[in-house]
Amino acid sequence: MPEASANIGVVGLAVMGSNLARNLASREGNTVAVFNRSRAKTDELIAAHPEAGFVPAFSYEEFAASLQKPRTAIIMVKAGVGTDAVIDQLARVFEPGDIIVDGGNAYFPDTIRREKQVRETGINFVGAGISGGEEGALTGPSIMPGGSDESWVTLGPILKSIAAVAEGEPCVTHVGHDGAGHFVKMVHNGIEYADMQLIAEAYDLIRRGTGKSPAEIAEIFAEWNRGELESYLIEITAEVLRQVDAETGKPLVDVILDQAGAKGTGAWTVQTALGLGVPVSGIAEATFARSLSSHPEQRVVAADLPGPDDVFAVPADEVDAFIEDVRLALYASKIVAYSQGFDEIRAGAAEYDWNIDLGAISKIWRGGCIIRAQFLNRIADAYDETPDLPVLMAAPYFAEALTRAQVSWRRVVVAAAQAGIPAPAFSSSLSYYDGIRADRLPAALIQGQRDFFGAHTYRRVDKEGTFHTLWSGDRSEIEAEDTH
C-alpha cells in the first residue's frame, strides 16, 4: 500500500475531475491522490501532467491508503447511480471522521438522503455545487459546499485554495448543512437559464427589428459589457456572435440548430419552487423556452398559423433608441430573475432548516461561476444593508434601476407582441413585476370560484375569520373552520 502522503483525493478523472485535480495540485500545500474506475484515465493524467505530482491509485484500498487522516475525497462522476456506487465503495475503505465530497450536479434531495445514510457510519458527506465549467474547474470555480461544520474545518482551507477570487475574497462559503450546497447550485443554474434566455431574446429582437448582422450585434453586446450589464454571459455572447463558420462563411449562430439542450437543473429549480410556493416565472419560462425549441416536429406543423401581417422593422431614426430600450428591458428582467432565485433560496432555507446567508451567496457568485457579474456586488450590498430583505427588487438600488427601465421594458414587450416575436422571459418578468407591486390582485375572484365548487372558504378584508357562502342554498354567508 502507498504511503499516506496526499491531503486530498479526486475520484473520477473525466474532463471536470481531471481539471479539478490539476487545480488542486497547482496550489501550495496540496498533494492530490487520483483514482478512476478505468486505469487508462489515471495513466493518461499522470503522463500528461508530471509537474502535478499526483499520487495515483488503482484500487479504492490504495486510494484510501494514500490519503492522510481525516481522509478527504472529492467525487467527480456522473450524477445518479454512479455516485451512489462510488460512495458505497469509499465508505468501505474510509473511517469515521473521514470526508466524502460529491462535486457533481446532484439533485439536492439525493444529497440529503446520502448525507443521512453516510452519517450513520461516522463518515462526513458533503454535497458541493461547483460552477464554472471545465475552465473554472482548472483555474478557479465558484464552490457551494454543504455538509457538517466538522467537515468544513478540514475542507474549507482546501476549497479556498482552489476557488476563484473576487475582490480579494475566495468564491466559496459553507452554505449550510446536508443538501444546502447542491440546493443553492441548483438555483444558480436556474438563474443561469433565465439570464441566457433573456440575452437570446434581446439578440432576437435587435436582429429582427433592425436587420443588423450578428457581427454588428456582437459590438452592441461588447458595449453593454462595459456598463451595468457587465458579466461573463454578455461577454461570451459577443464572442459567439462574432464567430464565422469556416465551412460556409456564414455567422456561426446561423448554422447552429435552434434547439437548446438542458441537463435538468432548470427543471429541478422550477419543480422545487412549485413545491415551496415561490413564483420563479422568469426561470420557468426560460426552461419552457428550451423545451419548446426542442420540439421541431410541433414547430413545423404550427409554422402556418397566422401572425402579424406587417414585417417588424424599426425606423432608421429610432434604431438607437430601440436598442437602448432592449438593454434596459434586459437589465430589468435580469433583476427579476435574481430576485426570484434568491426568494427560492430563502424559502428553501426555511423549509429545510438551513442557515443560508444570502449576501454571502451573492459574493461567491462574483467569480468563477457562469452567472458571474458586476451586478452581484449590488446584490451583496443590498443584503449587507438589510439581511432580512423580503424582496430583492425593493432594495433602493434595484428599485431605482427598475424605475429607470420600466417604460422601455413595457415598450419592448409591446413591440414583441405586436411583431409576433416570442419573448417569454421578458414578458413573464414584466408580469411578475406588475403582480408583486399590485395593491390588489384578481386572486379574490379565484378564491370565490374555489369556494363555489369546493367549499374551500375565503377570508374577508373587513373582518377576521374564515367564511363560506352557501352557493347551492340560500347563498348566505357562514363562518367556517379556519383552513388557512
Side-chain angles (χ1 to χ4, degrees):
M1 288 295 174
E3 180 185 349
S5 58
N7 68 311
I8 183 69
V10 177
V11 178
L13 301 178
V15 176
M16 281 289 290
S18 295
N19 282 2
L20 193 71
R22 290 170 58 196
N23 185 351
L24 285 160
S26 71
R27 312 297 173 154
E28 186 177 351
N30 289 337
T31 300
V32 186
V34 292
F35 172 72
N36 194 78
R37 185 179 60 177
S38 163
R39 177 169 180 152
K41 287 277 189 185
T42 307
D43 290 338
E44 181 182 328
L45 180 64
I46 298 296
H49 299 284
E51 77 287 351
F54 289 125
V55 179
F58 302 104
S59 70
Y60 283 102
E61 290 77 12
E62 283 187 20
F63 181 71
S66 69
L67 290 167
Q68 300 165 0
K69 297 180 181 179
R71 300 177 183 89
T72 305
I74 302 176
I75 301 171
M76 298 298 292
V77 299
K78 188 175 181 180
V81 293
T83 300
D84 286 315
V86 173
I87 292 168
D88 288 344
Q89 292 288 343
L90 286 175
R92 291 190 178 101
V93 295
F94 275 21
E95 298 173 353
D98 292 346
I99 304 165
I100 299 172
V101 183
D102 177 11
N105 260 346
Y107 189 28
F108 78 94
D110 291 336
T111 303
I112 293 173
R113 168 182 58 80
R114 289 166 179 151
E115 194 277 338
K116 183 178 180 181
Q117 290 173 342
V118 173
R119 190 193 327 140
E120 292 175 356
T121 69
I123 298 169
N124 291 292
F125 181 79
V126 175
I130 300 177
S131 178
E134 297 171 9
E135 180 183 351
L138 180 62
T139 61
S142 173
I143 311 175
M144 295 149 261
S148 67
D149 296 336
E150 177 190 7
S151 63
W152 177 243
V153 172
T154 300
L155 194 59
I158 296 171
L159 296 184
K160 287 177 182 178
S161 76
I162 64 166
V165 175
E167 301 187 22
E169 298 178 309
C171 294
V172 58
T173 190
H174 186 206
V175 173
H177 295 152
D178 55 67
H182 278 145
F183 177 88
V184 167
K185 174 57 163 58
M186 175 193 75
V187 176
H188 162 283
N189 284 25
I191 294 171
E192 179 186 310
Y193 273 54
D195 215 341
M196 294 173 72
Q197 177 65 25
L198 290 166
I199 290 170
E201 290 177 15
Y203 153 75
D204 197 32
L205 283 160
I206 292 173
R207 187 163 189 193
R208 294 212 219 179
T210 69
K212 288 183 180 293
S213 68
E216 290 172 319
I217 300 173
E219 296 312 308
I220 292 170
F221 276 92
E223 177 63 30
W224 287 357
N225 200 45
R226 290 188 278 272
E228 61 190 357
L229 279 170
E230 179 190 352
S231 68
Y232 173 71
L233 284 171
I234 294 289
E235 176 188 342
I236 67 169
T237 297
E239 293 300 319
V240 171
L241 291 175
R242 287 191 185 109
Q243 186 69 17
V244 175
D245 176 50
E247 185 175 337
T248 64
K250 295 178 180 178
L252 179 64
V253 73
D254 287 348
V255 298
I256 295 175
L257 191 66
D258 61 336
Q259 297 176 25
K263 291 189 175 180
T265 47
W268 291 346
T269 304
V270 177
Q271 290 163 354
T272 302
L274 286 169
L276 293 170
V278 177
V280 292
S281 50
I283 296 169
E285 288 296 345
T287 305
F288 291 141
R290 292 197 189 190
S291 299
L292 178 64
S293 76
S294 299
H295 286 282
E297 75 288 351
Q298 291 182 316
R299 292 164 58 197
V300 167
V301 172
D304 292 331
L305 292 174
D309 293 330
D310 297 328
V311 175
F312 180 47
V314 177
D317 61 347
E318 297 177 13
V319 165
D320 289 345
F322 176 73
I323 291 171
E324 176 62 7
D325 278 351
V326 173
R327 185 189 73 82
L328 287 167
L330 174 57
Y331 194 56
S333 299
K334 181 184 178 84
I335 292 170
V336 169
Y338 281 75
S339 186
Q340 291 178 344
F342 277 92
D343 281 349
E344 181 166 357
I345 294 174
R346 182 193 297 104
E351 176 71 17
Y352 294 100
D353 196 26
W354 296 321
N355 184 23
I356 298 180
D357 183 338
L358 297 180
I361 298 304
S362 63
K363 287 179 180 178
I364 67 170
W365 287 351
R366 293 178 302 178
C369 70
I370 303 302
I371 62 173
R372 61 186 183 264
Q374 184 265 348
F375 171 87
L376 285 155
N377 281 313
R378 307 286 76 80
I379 296 177
D381 291 344
Y383 285 118
D384 282 346
E385 185 174 332
T386 312
D388 58 349
L389 182 67
V391 181
L392 180 61
M393 294 190 306
Y397 174 86
F398 297 113
E400 185 280 327
L402 290 165
T403 300
R404 177 164 44 89
Q406 67 134 343
V407 174
S408 293
W409 196 7
R410 296 182 192 284
R411 279 198 294 257
V412 167
V413 170
V414 168
Q418 290 180 332
I421 298 173
F426 275 160
S427 302
S428 65
S429 298
L430 179 58
S431 291
Y432 173 83
Y433 170 77
D434 284 335
I436 203 164
R437 69 180 192 83
D439 60 356
R440 186 160 174 83
L441 293 166
L445 176 58
I446 294 170
Q447 276 303 97
Q449 293 168 333
R450 294 180 73 239
D451 189 57
F452 190 105
F453 65 68
H456 291 294
T457 74
Y458 52 85
R459 288 178 290 179
R460 296 175 58 100
V461 299
D462 54 357
K463 57 184 174 182
E464 294 296 319
T466 302
F467 302 91
H468 167 58
T469 293
L470 300 172
W471 297 102
S472 59
D474 62 5
R475 299 209 170 184
S476 61
E477 183 181 79
I478 62 171
E479 193 158 1
E481 182 180 348
D482 191 350
T483 60
H484 297 280

